[in-house]
């Protein structure tokens, strides 16, 4: 039997067709991982967006 470590908590997980959350140990750990991924995704546009200097009117 194959045993893997849960990516979220590191707990040993039996890799079986019956375990629909594999490689996670539980639905909770799967949701946590997906949540972290989504958060990262949402962070990127805010981080690259906007250089305040560009919007400054140049009063020459
Ligand atoms: Zn886990």
């Amino acid at each position: 039997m194959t045993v893997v470590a849960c990516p979220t908590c590191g707990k040993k997980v039996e890799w079986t067709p019956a375990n629909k959350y594999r490689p996670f140990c539980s639905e909770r750990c799967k949701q946590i991982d997906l949540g972290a991924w989504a958060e990262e995704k949402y962070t990127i546009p805010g981080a690259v967006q906007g250089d305040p200097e560009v919007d400054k009117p140049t009063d020459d």
Side-chain angles (χ1 to χ4, degrees):
M1 187 194 298
T2 304
V3 177
V4 298
C6 171
T8 301
C9 71
K11 192 173 155 184
K12 292 281 188 286
V13 183
E14 293 177 3
W15 188 282
T16 63
N19 180 8
K20 60 178 178 176
Y21 303 122
R22 67 187 186 277
F24 303 94
C25 68
S26 63
E27 182 177 16
R28 183 180 171 79
C29 276
K30 186 177 181 178
Q31 291 301 321
I32 289 171
D33 191 75
L34 290 175
W37 179 83
E39 238 173 73
E40 206 173 300
K41 187 183 171 189
Y42 285 125
T43 304
I44 292 165
V48 288
Q49 191 187 66
D51 185 348
E53 299 294 322
V54 179
D55 285 330
K56 272 185 181 170
T58 44
D59 215 298
D60 239 331

